[in-house]
PDB file of all heavy atoms in Angstrom:
ATOM      1  N   LEU A   1      -0.376   9.379  -2.554  1.00  0.00           N
ATOM      2  CA  LEU A   1       0.403   8.255  -2.051  1.00  0.00           C
ATOM      3  C   LEU A   1      -0.102   6.973  -2.700  1.00  0.00           C
ATOM      4  O   LEU A   1      -1.289   6.639  -2.580  1.00  0.00           O
ATOM      5  CB  LEU A   1       0.261   8.155  -0.528  1.00  0.00           C
ATOM      6  CG  LEU A   1       0.557   9.451   0.243  1.00  0.00           C
ATOM      7  CD1 LEU A   1       0.246   9.270   1.710  1.00  0.00           C
ATOM      8  CD2 LEU A   1       1.997   9.875   0.045  1.00  0.00           C
ATOM      9  N   VAL A   2       0.800   6.264  -3.352  1.00  0.00           N
ATOM     10  CA  VAL A   2       0.426   5.068  -4.112  1.00  0.00           C
ATOM     11  C   VAL A   2       1.062   3.838  -3.483  1.00  0.00           C
ATOM     12  O   VAL A   2       2.265   3.832  -3.202  1.00  0.00           O
ATOM     13  CB  VAL A   2       0.876   5.194  -5.582  1.00  0.00           C
ATOM     14  CG1 VAL A   2       0.531   3.934  -6.364  1.00  0.00           C
ATOM     15  CG2 VAL A   2       0.232   6.421  -6.230  1.00  0.00           C
ATOM     16  N   ASP A   3       0.251   2.813  -3.300  1.00  0.00           N
ATOM     17  CA  ASP A   3       0.785   1.559  -2.768  1.00  0.00           C
ATOM     18  C   ASP A   3      -0.104   0.412  -3.232  1.00  0.00           C
ATOM     19  O   ASP A   3      -1.314   0.583  -3.420  1.00  0.00           O
ATOM     20  CB  ASP A   3       0.829   1.588  -1.238  1.00  0.00           C
ATOM     21  CG  ASP A   3       1.764   0.535  -0.657  1.00  0.00           C
ATOM     22  OD1 ASP A   3       1.400  -0.653  -0.651  1.00  0.00           O
ATOM     23  OD2 ASP A   3       2.866   0.912  -0.223  1.00  0.00           O
ATOM     24  N   ARG A   4       0.490  -0.743  -3.391  1.00  0.00           N
ATOM     25  CA  ARG A   4      -0.276  -1.941  -3.720  1.00  0.00           C
ATOM     26  C   ARG A   4      -1.252  -2.300  -2.603  1.00  0.00           C
ATOM     27  O   ARG A   4      -2.351  -2.811  -2.835  1.00  0.00           O
ATOM     28  CB  ARG A   4       0.692  -3.105  -3.974  1.00  0.00           C
ATOM     29  CG  ARG A   4       0.030  -4.465  -4.198  1.00  0.00           C
ATOM     30  CD  ARG A   4       1.086  -5.560  -4.303  1.00  0.00           C
ATOM     31  NE  ARG A   4       0.479  -6.888  -4.281  1.00  0.00           N
ATOM     32  CZ  ARG A   4       0.079  -7.534  -5.366  1.00  0.00           C
ATOM     33  NH1 ARG A   4       0.211  -6.965  -6.545  1.00  0.00           N
ATOM     34  NH2 ARG A   4      -0.457  -8.740  -5.273  1.00  0.00           N
ATOM     35  N   ALA A   5      -0.824  -2.037  -1.361  1.00  0.00           N
ATOM     36  CA  ALA A   5      -1.662  -2.239  -0.177  1.00  0.00           C
ATOM     37  C   ALA A   5      -2.161  -3.678  -0.046  1.00  0.00           C
ATOM     38  O   ALA A   5      -3.277  -3.932   0.408  1.00  0.00           O
ATOM     39  CB  ALA A   5      -2.839  -1.261  -0.179  1.00  0.00           C
ATOM     40  N   ASP A   6      -1.308  -4.613  -0.412  1.00  0.00           N
ATOM     41  CA  ASP A   6      -1.652  -6.024  -0.306  1.00  0.00           C
ATOM     42  C   ASP A   6      -0.368  -6.826  -0.480  1.00  0.00           C
ATOM     43  O   ASP A   6       0.600  -6.336  -1.079  1.00  0.00           O
ATOM     44  CB  ASP A   6      -2.668  -6.411  -1.384  1.00  0.00           C
ATOM     45  CG  ASP A   6      -3.325  -7.764  -1.110  1.00  0.00           C
ATOM     46  OD1 ASP A   6      -3.113  -8.324  -0.019  1.00  0.00           O
ATOM     47  OD2 ASP A   6      -4.042  -8.254  -1.999  1.00  0.00           O
ATOM     48  N   ASP A   7      -0.346  -8.029   0.010  1.00  0.00           N
ATOM     49  CA  ASP A   7       0.809  -8.887  -0.185  1.00  0.00           C
ATOM     50  C   ASP A   7       0.886  -9.353  -1.636  1.00  0.00           C
ATOM     51  O   ASP A   7      -0.109  -9.352  -2.369  1.00  0.00           O
ATOM     52  CB  ASP A   7       0.749 -10.092   0.742  1.00  0.00           C
ATOM     53  CG  ASP A   7       1.027  -9.719   2.194  1.00  0.00           C
ATOM     54  OD1 ASP A   7       1.568  -8.626   2.424  1.00  0.00           O
ATOM     55  OD2 ASP A   7       0.686 -10.514   3.087  1.00  0.00           O
ATOM     56  N   ASP A   8       2.092  -9.753  -2.044  1.00  0.00           N
ATOM     57  CA  ASP A   8       2.331 -10.252  -3.389  1.00  0.00           C
ATOM     58  C   ASP A   8       2.755 -11.716  -3.258  1.00  0.00           C
ATOM     59  O   ASP A   8       3.700 -12.023  -2.529  1.00  0.00           O
ATOM     60  CB  ASP A   8       3.434  -9.434  -4.073  1.00  0.00           C
ATOM     61  CG  ASP A   8       3.610  -9.774  -5.539  1.00  0.00           C
ATOM     62  OD1 ASP A   8       3.608 -10.968  -5.878  1.00  0.00           O
ATOM     63  OD2 ASP A   8       3.769  -8.842  -6.346  1.00  0.00           O
ATOM     64  N   PRO A   9       2.086 -12.624  -3.951  1.00  0.00           N
ATOM     65  CA  PRO A   9       2.432 -14.045  -3.799  1.00  0.00           C
ATOM     66  C   PRO A   9       3.859 -14.383  -4.216  1.00  0.00           C
ATOM     67  O   PRO A   9       4.390 -15.417  -3.801  1.00  0.00           O
ATOM     68  CB  PRO A   9       1.411 -14.753  -4.693  1.00  0.00           C
ATOM     69  CG  PRO A   9       0.877 -13.698  -5.604  1.00  0.00           C
ATOM     70  CD  PRO A   9       0.934 -12.427  -4.844  1.00  0.00           C
ATOM     71  N   ALA A  10       4.492 -13.519  -5.018  1.00  0.00           N
ATOM     72  CA  ALA A  10       5.872 -13.780  -5.438  1.00  0.00           C
ATOM     73  C   ALA A  10       6.882 -13.408  -4.363  1.00  0.00           C
ATOM     74  O   ALA A  10       8.055 -13.780  -4.457  1.00  0.00           O
ATOM     75  CB  ALA A  10       6.187 -13.014  -6.726  1.00  0.00           C
ATOM     76  N   LEU A  11       6.442 -12.684  -3.341  1.00  0.00           N
ATOM     77  CA  LEU A  11       7.343 -12.215  -2.294  1.00  0.00           C
ATOM     78  C   LEU A  11       7.095 -12.994  -1.012  1.00  0.00           C
ATOM     79  O   LEU A  11       5.954 -13.280  -0.650  1.00  0.00           O
ATOM     80  CB  LEU A  11       7.138 -10.720  -2.042  1.00  0.00           C
ATOM     81  CG  LEU A  11       7.209  -9.818  -3.277  1.00  0.00           C
ATOM     82  CD1 LEU A  11       7.012  -8.359  -2.865  1.00  0.00           C
ATOM     83  CD2 LEU A  11       8.522  -9.995  -4.018  1.00  0.00           C
ATOM     84  N   GLY A  12       8.155 -13.279  -0.317  1.00  0.00           N
ATOM     85  CA  GLY A  12       8.042 -14.100   0.884  1.00  0.00           C
ATOM     86  C   GLY A  12       7.966 -13.311   2.168  1.00  0.00           C
ATOM     87  O   GLY A  12       8.266 -13.846   3.240  1.00  0.00           O
ATOM     88  N   TYR A  13       7.569 -12.076   2.112  1.00  0.00           N
ATOM     89  CA  TYR A  13       7.472 -11.250   3.313  1.00  0.00           C
ATOM     90  C   TYR A  13       6.272 -10.318   3.171  1.00  0.00           C
ATOM     91  O   TYR A  13       5.821 -10.036   2.060  1.00  0.00           O
ATOM     92  CB  TYR A  13       8.767 -10.453   3.534  1.00  0.00           C
ATOM     93  CG  TYR A  13       9.172  -9.588   2.356  1.00  0.00           C
ATOM     94  CD1 TYR A  13       8.766  -8.257   2.272  1.00  0.00           C
ATOM     95  CD2 TYR A  13       9.961 -10.089   1.332  1.00  0.00           C
ATOM     96  CE1 TYR A  13       9.135  -7.467   1.195  1.00  0.00           C
ATOM     97  CE2 TYR A  13      10.338  -9.310   0.256  1.00  0.00           C
ATOM     98  CZ  TYR A  13       9.921  -7.992   0.197  1.00  0.00           C
ATOM     99  OH  TYR A  13      10.288  -7.214  -0.868  1.00  0.00           O
ATOM    100  N   PRO A  14       5.736  -9.817   4.280  1.00  0.00           N
ATOM    101  CA  PRO A  14       4.520  -8.997   4.221  1.00  0.00           C
ATOM    102  C   PRO A  14       4.805  -7.593   3.684  1.00  0.00           C
ATOM    103  O   PRO A  14       5.856  -7.006   3.959  1.00  0.00           O
ATOM    104  CB  PRO A  14       4.049  -8.949   5.676  1.00  0.00           C
ATOM    105  CG  PRO A  14       5.300  -9.165   6.474  1.00  0.00           C
ATOM    106  CD  PRO A  14       6.153 -10.103   5.659  1.00  0.00           C
ATOM    107  N   LEU A  15       3.844  -7.077   2.933  1.00  0.00           N
ATOM    108  CA  LEU A  15       3.911  -5.720   2.413  1.00  0.00           C
ATOM    109  C   LEU A  15       2.970  -4.822   3.208  1.00  0.00           C
ATOM    110  O   LEU A  15       2.228  -5.276   4.077  1.00  0.00           O
ATOM    111  CB  LEU A  15       3.537  -5.708   0.931  1.00  0.00           C
ATOM    112  CG  LEU A  15       4.378  -6.613   0.017  1.00  0.00           C
ATOM    113  CD1 LEU A  15       3.926  -6.461  -1.435  1.00  0.00           C
ATOM    114  CD2 LEU A  15       5.858  -6.316   0.159  1.00  0.00           C
ATOM    115  N   ALA A  16       3.000  -3.544   2.900  1.00  0.00           N
ATOM    116  CA  ALA A  16       2.113  -2.597   3.570  1.00  0.00           C
ATOM    117  C   ALA A  16       0.651  -2.952   3.282  1.00  0.00           C
ATOM    118  O   ALA A  16       0.319  -3.457   2.208  1.00  0.00           O
ATOM    119  CB  ALA A  16       2.410  -1.180   3.105  1.00  0.00           C
ATOM    120  N   THR A  17      -0.192  -2.682   4.237  1.00  0.00           N
ATOM    121  CA  THR A  17      -1.615  -2.954   4.107  1.00  0.00           C
ATOM    122  C   THR A  17      -2.375  -1.687   3.738  1.00  0.00           C
ATOM    123  O   THR A  17      -1.823  -0.577   3.750  1.00  0.00           O
ATOM    124  CB  THR A  17      -2.176  -3.487   5.431  1.00  0.00           C
ATOM    125  OG1 THR A  17      -2.076  -2.431   6.420  1.00  0.00           O
ATOM    126  CG2 THR A  17      -1.402  -4.701   5.906  1.00  0.00           C
ATOM    127  N   ARG A  18      -3.663  -1.848   3.421  1.00  0.00           N
ATOM    128  CA  ARG A  18      -4.497  -0.676   3.158  1.00  0.00           C
ATOM    129  C   ARG A  18      -4.572   0.214   4.402  1.00  0.00           C
ATOM    130  O   ARG A  18      -4.587   1.454   4.294  1.00  0.00           O
ATOM    131  CB  ARG A  18      -5.904  -1.122   2.727  1.00  0.00           C
ATOM    132  CG  ARG A  18      -6.854   0.050   2.441  1.00  0.00           C
ATOM    133  CD  ARG A  18      -6.301   0.919   1.321  1.00  0.00           C
ATOM    134  NE  ARG A  18      -6.951   2.204   1.223  1.00  0.00           N
ATOM    135  CZ  ARG A  18      -7.935   2.477   0.350  1.00  0.00           C
ATOM    136  NH1 ARG A  18      -8.379   1.522  -0.461  1.00  0.00           N
ATOM    137  NH2 ARG A  18      -8.450   3.674   0.297  1.00  0.00           N
ATOM    138  N   HIS A  19      -4.584  -0.399   5.568  1.00  0.00           N
ATOM    139  CA  HIS A  19      -4.580   0.381   6.810  1.00  0.00           C
ATOM    140  C   HIS A  19      -3.314   1.230   6.906  1.00  0.00           C
ATOM    141  O   HIS A  19      -3.375   2.403   7.285  1.00  0.00           O
ATOM    142  CB  HIS A  19      -4.682  -0.548   8.018  1.00  0.00           C
ATOM    143  CG  HIS A  19      -4.535   0.168   9.331  1.00  0.00           C
ATOM    144  ND1 HIS A  19      -5.518   0.956   9.871  1.00  0.00           N
ATOM    145  CD2 HIS A  19      -3.470   0.226  10.193  1.00  0.00           C
ATOM    146  CE1 HIS A  19      -5.093   1.470  11.014  1.00  0.00           C
ATOM    147  NE2 HIS A  19      -3.860   1.039  11.240  1.00  0.00           N
ATOM    148  N   ASP A  20      -2.166   0.633   6.568  1.00  0.00           N
ATOM    149  CA  ASP A  20      -0.901   1.389   6.603  1.00  0.00           C
ATOM    150  C   ASP A  20      -0.965   2.584   5.665  1.00  0.00           C
ATOM    151  O   ASP A  20      -0.553   3.702   6.018  1.00  0.00           O
ATOM    152  CB  ASP A  20       0.267   0.486   6.198  1.00  0.00           C
ATOM    153  CG  ASP A  20       0.516  -0.637   7.180  1.00  0.00           C
ATOM    154  OD1 ASP A  20       0.271  -0.436   8.388  1.00  0.00           O
ATOM    155  OD2 ASP A  20       0.943  -1.720   6.732  1.00  0.00           O
ATOM    156  N   LEU A  21      -1.457   2.343   4.443  1.00  0.00           N
ATOM    157  CA  LEU A  21      -1.542   3.418   3.449  1.00  0.00           C
ATOM    158  C   LEU A  21      -2.470   4.526   3.936  1.00  0.00           C
ATOM    159  O   LEU A  21      -2.134   5.720   3.868  1.00  0.00           O
ATOM    160  CB  LEU A  21      -2.029   2.852   2.118  1.00  0.00           C
ATOM    161  CG  LEU A  21      -2.287   3.852   0.988  1.00  0.00           C
ATOM    162  CD1 LEU A  21      -1.021   4.619   0.620  1.00  0.00           C
ATOM    163  CD2 LEU A  21      -2.858   3.135  -0.229  1.00  0.00           C
ATOM    164  N   ASP A  22      -3.639   4.154   4.426  1.00  0.00           N
ATOM    165  CA  ASP A  22      -4.600   5.149   4.885  1.00  0.00           C
ATOM    166  C   ASP A  22      -4.064   5.928   6.090  1.00  0.00           C
ATOM    167  O   ASP A  22      -4.312   7.133   6.231  1.00  0.00           O
ATOM    168  CB  ASP A  22      -5.923   4.478   5.261  1.00  0.00           C
ATOM    169  CG  ASP A  22      -6.693   3.992   4.043  1.00  0.00           C
ATOM    170  OD1 ASP A  22      -6.399   4.464   2.919  1.00  0.00           O
ATOM    171  OD2 ASP A  22      -7.575   3.125   4.209  1.00  0.00           O
ATOM    172  N   GLU A  23      -3.333   5.242   6.946  1.00  0.00           N
ATOM    173  CA  GLU A  23      -2.769   5.895   8.133  1.00  0.00           C
ATOM    174  C   GLU A  23      -1.769   6.975   7.736  1.00  0.00           C
ATOM    175  O   GLU A  23      -1.795   8.100   8.270  1.00  0.00           O
ATOM    176  CB  GLU A  23      -2.106   4.841   9.018  1.00  0.00           C
ATOM    177  CG  GLU A  23      -1.646   5.354  10.358  1.00  0.00           C
ATOM    178  CD  GLU A  23      -1.137   4.228  11.240  1.00  0.00           C
ATOM    179  OE1 GLU A  23      -0.187   3.530  10.828  1.00  0.00           O
ATOM    180  OE2 GLU A  23      -1.696   4.042  12.332  1.00  0.00           O
ATOM    181  N   VAL A  24      -0.880   6.655   6.784  1.00  0.00           N
ATOM    182  CA  VAL A  24       0.095   7.653   6.327  1.00  0.00           C
ATOM    183  C   VAL A  24      -0.615   8.789   5.594  1.00  0.00           C
ATOM    184  O   VAL A  24      -0.248   9.965   5.737  1.00  0.00           O
ATOM    185  CB  VAL A  24       1.165   7.000   5.431  1.00  0.00           C
ATOM    186  CG1 VAL A  24       2.127   8.051   4.882  1.00  0.00           C
ATOM    187  CG2 VAL A  24       1.945   5.953   6.223  1.00  0.00           C
ATOM    188  N   ALA A  25      -1.628   8.460   4.803  1.00  0.00           N
ATOM    189  CA  ALA A  25      -2.373   9.498   4.097  1.00  0.00           C
ATOM    190  C   ALA A  25      -3.051  10.454   5.070  1.00  0.00           C
ATOM    191  O   ALA A  25      -3.021  11.682   4.898  1.00  0.00           O
ATOM    192  CB  ALA A  25      -3.406   8.857   3.175  1.00  0.00           C
ATOM    193  N   GLU A  26      -3.638   9.897   6.122  1.00  0.00           N
ATOM    194  CA  GLU A  26      -4.289  10.755   7.121  1.00  0.00           C
ATOM    195  C   GLU A  26      -3.276  11.629   7.846  1.00  0.00           C
ATOM    196  O   GLU A  26      -3.501  12.827   8.079  1.00  0.00           O
ATOM    197  CB  GLU A  26      -5.040   9.885   8.126  1.00  0.00           C
ATOM    198  CG  GLU A  26      -5.788  10.688   9.176  1.00  0.00           C
ATOM    199  CD  GLU A  26      -6.599   9.815  10.116  1.00  0.00           C
ATOM    200  OE1 GLU A  26      -6.601   8.582   9.930  1.00  0.00           O
ATOM    201  OE2 GLU A  26      -7.238  10.375  11.034  1.00  0.00           O
ATOM    202  N   GLU A  27      -2.139  11.043   8.175  1.00  0.00           N
ATOM    203  CA  GLU A  27      -1.096  11.776   8.899  1.00  0.00           C
ATOM    204  C   GLU A  27      -0.519  12.913   8.070  1.00  0.00           C
ATOM    205  O   GLU A  27      -0.172  13.968   8.604  1.00  0.00           O
ATOM    206  CB  GLU A  27       0.013  10.796   9.299  1.00  0.00           C
ATOM    207  CG  GLU A  27       1.143  11.402  10.084  1.00  0.00           C
ATOM    208  CD  GLU A  27       2.213  10.385  10.427  1.00  0.00           C
ATOM    209  OE1 GLU A  27       1.958   9.173  10.298  1.00  0.00           O
ATOM    210  OE2 GLU A  27       3.315  10.806  10.824  1.00  0.00           O
ATOM    211  N   THR A  28      -0.405  12.707   6.761  1.00  0.00           N
ATOM    212  CA  THR A  28       0.254  13.686   5.889  1.00  0.00           C
ATOM    213  C   THR A  28      -0.725  14.572   5.123  1.00  0.00           C
ATOM    214  O   THR A  28      -0.288  15.473   4.405  1.00  0.00           O
ATOM    215  CB  THR A  28       1.153  12.966   4.871  1.00  0.00           C
ATOM    216  OG1 THR A  28       0.348  12.096   4.050  1.00  0.00           O
ATOM    217  CG2 THR A  28       2.235  12.158   5.569  1.00  0.00           C
ATOM    218  N   GLY A  29      -2.020  14.291   5.243  1.00  0.00           N
ATOM    219  CA  GLY A  29      -2.992  15.028   4.451  1.00  0.00           C
ATOM    220  C   GLY A  29      -2.972  14.635   2.995  1.00  0.00           C
ATOM    221  O   GLY A  29      -3.480  15.366   2.137  1.00  0.00           O
ATOM    222  N   GLY A  30      -2.413  13.471   2.687  1.00  0.00           N
ATOM    223  CA  GLY A  30      -2.293  13.019   1.304  1.00  0.00           C
ATOM    224  C   GLY A  30      -3.522  12.267   0.835  1.00  0.00           C
ATOM    225  O   GLY A  30      -4.413  11.932   1.617  1.00  0.00           O
ATOM    226  N   VAL A  31      -3.542  11.988  -0.454  1.00  0.00           N
ATOM    227  CA  VAL A  31      -4.611  11.214  -1.072  1.00  0.00           C
ATOM    228  C   VAL A  31      -4.086   9.801  -1.310  1.00  0.00           C
ATOM    229  O   VAL A  31      -3.051   9.619  -1.967  1.00  0.00           O
ATOM    230  CB  VAL A  31      -5.049  11.833  -2.409  1.00  0.00           C
ATOM    231  CG1 VAL A  31      -6.184  11.021  -3.024  1.00  0.00           C
ATOM    232  CG2 VAL A  31      -5.458  13.288  -2.221  1.00  0.00           C
ATOM    233  N   ALA A  32      -4.767   8.808  -0.769  1.00  0.00           N
ATOM    234  CA  ALA A  32      -4.338   7.420  -0.908  1.00  0.00           C
ATOM    235  C   ALA A  32      -4.906   6.820  -2.186  1.00  0.00           C
ATOM    236  O   ALA A  32      -6.105   6.923  -2.450  1.00  0.00           O
ATOM    237  CB  ALA A  32      -4.793   6.607   0.293  1.00  0.00           C
ATOM    238  N   VAL A  33      -4.032   6.194  -2.976  1.00  0.00           N
ATOM    239  CA  VAL A  33      -4.434   5.504  -4.197  1.00  0.00           C
ATOM    240  C   VAL A  33      -3.869   4.088  -4.154  1.00  0.00           C
ATOM    241  O   VAL A  33      -2.654   3.913  -4.025  1.00  0.00           O
ATOM    242  CB  VAL A  33      -3.926   6.224  -5.464  1.00  0.00           C
ATOM    243  CG1 VAL A  33      -4.222   5.403  -6.717  1.00  0.00           C
ATOM    244  CG2 VAL A  33      -4.550   7.614  -5.574  1.00  0.00           C
ATOM    245  N   VAL A  34      -4.724   3.102  -4.242  1.00  0.00           N
ATOM    246  CA  VAL A  34      -4.266   1.711  -4.270  1.00  0.00           C
ATOM    247  C   VAL A  34      -3.950   1.347  -5.708  1.00  0.00           C
ATOM    248  O   VAL A  34      -4.818   1.396  -6.585  1.00  0.00           O
ATOM    249  CB  VAL A  34      -5.337   0.766  -3.699  1.00  0.00           C
ATOM    250  CG1 VAL A  34      -4.900  -0.692  -3.859  1.00  0.00           C
ATOM    251  CG2 VAL A  34      -5.594   1.090  -2.235  1.00  0.00           C
ATOM    252  N   ALA A  35      -2.689   1.010  -5.963  1.00  0.00           N
ATOM    253  CA  ALA A  35      -2.258   0.680  -7.324  1.00  0.00           C
ATOM    254  C   ALA A  35      -0.958  -0.081  -7.272  1.00  0.00           C
ATOM    255  O   ALA A  35      -0.110   0.160  -6.402  1.00  0.00           O
ATOM    256  CB  ALA A  35      -2.081   1.949  -8.163  1.00  0.00           C
ATOM    257  N   ASP A  36      -0.789  -0.999  -8.202  1.00  0.00           N
ATOM    258  CA  ASP A  36       0.464  -1.718  -8.396  1.00  0.00           C
ATOM    259  C   ASP A  36       1.304  -0.919  -9.387  1.00  0.00           C
ATOM    260  O   ASP A  36       0.796  -0.477 -10.427  1.00  0.00           O
ATOM    261  CB  ASP A  36       0.163  -3.117  -8.948  1.00  0.00           C
ATOM    262  CG  ASP A  36       1.375  -4.033  -8.934  1.00  0.00           C
ATOM    263  OD1 ASP A  36       2.434  -3.638  -9.487  1.00  0.00           O
ATOM    264  OD2 ASP A  36       1.271  -5.146  -8.399  1.00  0.00           O
ATOM    265  N   VAL A  37       2.584  -0.731  -9.095  1.00  0.00           N
ATOM    266  CA  VAL A  37       3.419   0.105  -9.957  1.00  0.00           C
ATOM    267  C   VAL A  37       3.665  -0.517 -11.328  1.00  0.00           C
ATOM    268  O   VAL A  37       4.196   0.140 -12.223  1.00  0.00           O
ATOM    269  CB  VAL A  37       4.769   0.431  -9.291  1.00  0.00           C
ATOM    270  CG1 VAL A  37       4.552   1.288  -8.049  1.00  0.00           C
ATOM    271  CG2 VAL A  37       5.553  -0.831  -8.958  1.00  0.00           C
ATOM    272  N   ARG A  38       3.274  -1.774 -11.512  1.00  0.00           N
ATOM    273  CA  ARG A  38       3.384  -2.410 -12.823  1.00  0.00           C
ATOM    274  C   ARG A  38       2.150  -2.170 -13.684  1.00  0.00           C
ATOM    275  O   ARG A  38       2.107  -2.606 -14.847  1.00  0.00           O
ATOM    276  CB  ARG A  38       3.612  -3.918 -12.650  1.00  0.00           C
ATOM    277  CG  ARG A  38       4.932  -4.263 -11.974  1.00  0.00           C
ATOM    278  CD  ARG A  38       4.979  -5.700 -11.483  1.00  0.00           C
ATOM    279  NE  ARG A  38       4.132  -5.883 -10.296  1.00  0.00           N
ATOM    280  CZ  ARG A  38       4.133  -6.968  -9.545  1.00  0.00           C
ATOM    281  NH1 ARG A  38       4.944  -7.969  -9.832  1.00  0.00           N
ATOM    282  NH2 ARG A  38       3.330  -7.057  -8.485  1.00  0.00           N
ATOM    283  N   ASP A  39       1.170  -1.481 -13.139  1.00  0.00           N
ATOM    284  CA  ASP A  39      -0.115  -1.263 -13.802  1.00  0.00           C
ATOM    285  C   ASP A  39      -0.151   0.150 -14.372  1.00  0.00           C
ATOM    286  O   ASP A  39      -0.405   1.121 -13.638  1.00  0.00           O
ATOM    287  CB  ASP A  39      -1.232  -1.477 -12.782  1.00  0.00           C
ATOM    288  CG  ASP A  39      -2.624  -1.370 -13.378  1.00  0.00           C
ATOM    289  OD1 ASP A  39      -2.773  -0.796 -14.469  1.00  0.00           O
ATOM    290  OD2 ASP A  39      -3.567  -1.856 -12.728  1.00  0.00           O
TER     291      ASP A  39
END
């Protein structure tokens, strides 16, 4: 599971947090990876 896990200054609304990512990873048995899809 890949997510930026942080807000983006170019966007005017909140994004998912590291807690959100880790919570879904724990629930699904997935591996959490913090990454921006532009990277």
Side-chain angles (χ1 to χ4, degrees):
L1 308 174
V2 178
D3 198 285
R4 174 185 170 90
D6 194 8
D7 288 343
D8 188 316
L11 308 181
Y13 56 92
L15 303 182
T17 65
R18 179 60 195 262
H19 174 74
D20 295 328
L21 175 60
D22 288 342
E23 188 174 59
V24 176
E26 182 176 358
E27 181 181 346
T28 61
V31 181
V33 174
V34 175
D36 191 306
V37 295
R38 295 165 287 190
D39 184 341

